Every structure is written in C-alpha cells, then in structure tokens.
Amino acid sequence: MATEEHGAESGGLVFHPMDQFIVKPMFGDGPVAWYTVTNVTLWMALAVVCVLLMFVLATSRRRIVPGRFQSVAELGYGFIYKMVEDIAGKDGVKYFPYIMTLFLFIVFANFLGLLPMAFTTTSHIAVTAVLAMGVFLTVTILGFVLHGASFLKLFWVSAAPLPIRPVLAVIELISYFARPVSHSIRLAGNMMAGHAVIKVFAGFAALAAISPFAILAITAMYGLEILVSFIQAYVFTILTCVYLKDALHPHH
Amino acid sequence: MATETHEVVDAAAPGMPQLDFSTFPNQIFWLVVTLVVIYLILSRVALPRIADILAERQGKITHDLAAAEDLKLKAVEAEQAYEKALAEARAEANRIVGLAKDEIKADLDAAIAVADAEIAAKMAESEQAIAEIRANAVTSIAEVARSTAVELANTLAPGIADEAAVLAAVETRLKG
C-alpha cells in the first residue's frame, strides 16, 4: 500500500524496494506495541491457515489411497521425518514435531511472501533470529542435559594430533557461536534480497523502453525465488537436524 | 494513511525496516504465538493422524500381500488336486479301455473258434462226399469197362469169346 502511494507521489522512476518490509498495524495508525495486530500477525496467521488446510483438512478423510492434497501432506511428513531420522539418528525422531513446526512455518511464510502485495515474515531478522536462537539454545541445553560436561568434547577434536587440538577447539568454539548468526542471516538475507531485487525490477518496469526486459527479469527472479523459498526452508531445517545431531551425539 | 505510517516508520528506521527495533517485540510475540499454534496443530492432530494413515496403509499392504500369498498357495493346491484327478481319470479310462479290449478279444476268439469248428466240420463232410463220388466213379468205370469189353468181344468175335475170361482180363487190367 505504502509503495503504491510513493510511486504516485513522486512519479517517474522511483525505487522503494524496502517498503514492502515495513511492519505496520492492520487497524489504525498507532505505534507498534508488542501486542498490536500488524501485517506480521496477518501473514503468520495465514501460514497457520495453510498448515491447517494442508495437514489437517487434507488428511481428514484418512484415505488409504490418498488424494492429491493428502499425498502432499504425506510427502512433507515423510520428507522431514526421513531427514530427521537420517541426520539426527533414531533418537532424534522424538524431536520431529519441533523440526516439522520450524520447516512448515518457514516454507509457508516464504511461499506466502511470494504472493503479490504480500509481507514476508521470514525476511525479518527479528523473526529468523528468534528461530535460530531457539534452535541454538535448545540444542545447547539439550547437549548439556544429555551429556553433562562431556558435551564439551564436541570442541575437542580427538581425531586431530594433540598439539593442534587447542587451536581447533578455539575454532570450533567460534564456529559454534557463529551458527545462530549464519543460520538466521542466511534465511532473512535470502528472502529480503530476492524480494528487494524483484521490487527494483518492478521500478524499472515503469519505463516503457525497458519494461519488457524488466518484466522478463521479474519473471525469472520470481522463478528463482520459488526455488530459493523452498531451498532456504530446507537448508534451515537440515542445519537444525545437524545441530541436533551434535547435541545427541557430540563425540563425532 | 499509508503515507503517515510510512513517515512514522521512516523516522524510526531510515533504510532497512528490518533494523527498526521498535517492531521487534511485536514480531517476536506473534512469531512465538504462531509457532506454538503450529506446534499444537501438528503434534496434537496432524502428525499422529498422518502417522496413523501411513501405518494403516503399511498394515493393509502387508495384509494384502499375505492374503495374496495365501490365495496363491490355494491356487497351487487346487492345481495339484486337479492334476491328480486328471491322472486318476486317465488311469481309470485306460483300465476300462483294457477291459473292453479283453472282452472283445475273448468274444472274437470264441467266435473264431466256432467258425473254425464249423469250417472243419463242413470240410470233413465235403471230403466224405468227394470220396463217395470218387468211389462211385471207380465202380462205374469198372462196370463200364467190363460191359464195354464184353460187348466188344461179342461184337468182334461172336461165339468165341468167353465171357468169364474177358471179365477176368478186364479185372486184371483195372488192377494194373
């Protein structure tokens, strides 16, 4: 909404690629308090609706021979279940609902964000940082609860020669704490960059001479973004599984 | 409306709305709510249901495969029973054919024996008749010879011929 009016205000070639990320209240103008119903609320609620449709409504008939939507739900279930089982191991399966929650939230938020005029909740560092910190803290606490102090052996690479082990330990420690940072910035950065680029091309489309190229570029970017939306959800989930594996089996 | 909102936000976050910290509590709050809701939906309803469906399908497949295996065994049994019945029927048929053949052979042998006997009897009869005819013929020839010789002698040398001598001569000739 804000973007359109900007274009109207100034006319000509105006870029406001970041306006789509503005958090604003759904009703009225007031300041954004923690409880305010904003566009964040709307698009997260839509993600919940999608989960309900795809995983509750589509499977409600419990058919032995599944229909299309039930097939998709079963495929998604099998996809994540197998990922958890393969990477985190048999004992990681009990954390499957948490990982499924993360995956479905990210994948639906990403895809909903591709709708025109949509707001992409996963393009905000606040959202992805909470997701990543949640994974980081859970995994770290889980590691210490399950293994006590021996969880620290994760940083002590026993396969390496003794003299370089302290050096490796420092590196491992740094990389361990860099995990939530890269985990969150990767997702938010990818989503934000893609949407901003599409918006920039959309700005170029206002010029008649290059508008065909701009529209072609938007189409191409859109295709790429569909791929990226899924891949980023996949990457986030698979990294969560890898971190979970470290917590469950820290001894390499 | 939008413009006003934008100004408010712009004041707080020049550049990236992502770095507008005033919206963080809002986003984090709604994110946590969303995640909890999705988690509850998944763990209470969706995932157990899908697991049920998959288990049920697996069970049904296993069950159907076992049933198919059963039916296959039954089919093999039925085929064996059929083969056995067929072999028995064939043996029975062979036995009946053999019996019939023996019976016919016995009948035939009896008939041939009867026919042989009849033929032998007829042959004996015929031989007897031929022997009789031959004997008659020999007697007739002797008689004709005798009477012819007497007649001849009487005609050629009437009065001289001794009938008894002629007859004796004829008799000697006939024997020689």
Side-chain angles (χ1 to χ4, degrees):
Chain A
M1 234 172 7
T3 327
E4 285 171 347
E5 298 201 4
H6 262 292
E9 267 170 29
S10 333
L13 198 59
V14 184
F15 297 114
H16 292 288
M18 303 309 276
D19 283 4
Q20 58 178 319
F21 302 119
I22 292 168
V23 176
K24 48 186 181 289
M26 291 301 292
F27 313 103
D29 291 342
V32 179
W34 63 269
Y35 53 83
T36 313
V37 178
T38 57
N39 46 359
V40 177
T41 321
L42 171 67
W43 290 96
M44 284 187 182
L46 286 176
V48 173
V49 170
C50 287
V51 171
L52 275 173
L53 288 178
M54 289 298 304
F55 284 83
V56 178
L57 194 70
T59 59
S60 59
R61 285 204 252 164
R62 297 165 175 267
R63 284 192 288 199
I64 289 288
V65 179
R68 279 180 219 158
F69 290 100
Q70 191 184 323
S71 277
V72 173
E74 285 171 12
L75 273 176
Y77 179 98
F79 179 63
I80 303 299
Y81 191 92
K82 196 169 181 311
M83 188 196 288
V84 175
E85 198 176 32
D86 286 354
I87 297 172
K90 285 273 179 205
D91 43 352
V93 164
K94 62 171 176 273
Y95 307 103
F96 164 62
Y98 300 95
I99 293 169
M100 190 73 177
T101 305
L102 283 179
F103 176 73
L104 288 184
F105 171 71
I106 295 171
V107 89
F108 282 124
N110 286 356
F111 277 114
L112 285 171
L114 283 175
L115 295 173
M117 311 301 292
F119 174 82
T120 318
T121 50
T122 42
S123 68
H124 273 264
I125 193 72
V127 170
T128 59
V130 170
L131 292 173
M133 282 310 290
V135 171
F136 179 76
L137 291 176
T138 313
V139 161
T140 309
I141 293 168
L142 195 67
F144 278 112
V145 167
L146 290 178
H147 303 284
S150 78
F151 179 59
L152 291 172
K153 282 184 188 160
L154 182 63
F155 307 112
W156 197 252
V157 186
S158 49
L162 192 60
I164 60 169
R165 276 185 211 173
V167 184
L168 282 178
V170 173
I171 295 171
E172 288 277 328
L173 204 65
I174 293 170
S175 84
Y176 189 79
F177 283 101
R179 278 176 178 183
V181 180
S182 65
H183 208 185
S184 56
I185 290 180
R186 182 183 304 112
L187 175 58
N190 268 291
M191 298 320 295
M192 187 185 73
H195 286 74
V197 167
I198 288 182
K199 210 71 176 182
V200 168
F201 282 127
F204 276 120
L207 291 180
I210 52 169
S211 62
F213 301 102
I215 289 167
L216 200 69
I218 291 173
T219 314
M221 275 306 293
Y222 199 88
L224 184 68
E225 280 304 294
I226 288 173
L227 195 67
V228 167
S229 290
F230 180 75
I231 287 175
Q232 285 308 317
Y234 175 73
V235 165
F236 195 97
T237 316
I238 209 164
L239 282 174
T240 306
C241 291
V242 170
Y243 300 161
L244 183 64
K245 188 210 82 180
D246 280 347
L248 297 173
H249 316 282
H251 312 295
H252 293 279
Chain B
M1 173 192 119
T3 329
E4 279 168 40
T5 318
H6 192 82
E7 274 161 11
V8 172
V9 176
D10 259 352
M16 284 176 70
Q18 276 87 349
L19 298 178
D20 178 2
F21 294 103
S22 67
T23 64
F24 274 28
N26 182 270
Q27 296 193 51
I28 292 167
F29 168 68
W30 289 114
L31 172 65
V32 171
V33 170
T34 306
L35 289 180
V36 169
V37 170
I38 294 180
Y39 176 73
L40 289 179
I41 290 172
L42 288 182
S43 63
R44 294 290 155 86
V45 186
L47 299 184
R49 187 187 284 170
I50 295 174
D52 270 4
I53 293 170
L54 293 179
E56 198 182 326
R57 180 174 310 148
Q58 196 54 48
K60 176 118 176 86
I61 289 169
T62 317
H63 177 261
D64 283 4
L65 280 180
E69 194 64 32
D70 238 38
L71 287 177
K72 199 178 156 194
L73 275 178
K74 270 186 196 156
V76 168
E77 263 169 34
E79 200 194 335
Q80 278 171 350
Y82 165 76
E83 291 284 346
K84 202 173 155 225
L86 199 65
E88 269 169 17
R90 200 169 277 153
E92 180 70 14
N94 278 341
R95 200 178 60 79
I96 290 170
V97 168
L99 275 182
K101 226 181 237 172
D102 287 351
E103 227 164 80
I104 290 167
K105 197 163 186 293
D107 281 357
L108 201 62
D109 284 350
I112 287 171
V114 170
D116 276 353
E118 260 167 38
I119 289 165
K122 281 258 169 71
M123 239 153 100
E125 221 168 85
S126 307
E127 264 166 23
Q128 206 184 334
I130 288 165
E132 260 169 37
I133 290 166
R134 186 175 284 158
N136 282 347
V138 167
T139 325
S140 304
I141 286 167
E143 217 150 290
V144 169
R146 248 179 255 128
S147 63
T148 310
V150 171
E151 280 300 318
L152 217 56
N154 283 340
T155 315
L156 290 175
I160 317 170
D162 182 6
E163 205 165 310
V166 170
L167 284 176
V170 168
E171 216 54 45
T172 335
R173 277 285 178 165
L174 279 173
K175 276 175 188 169

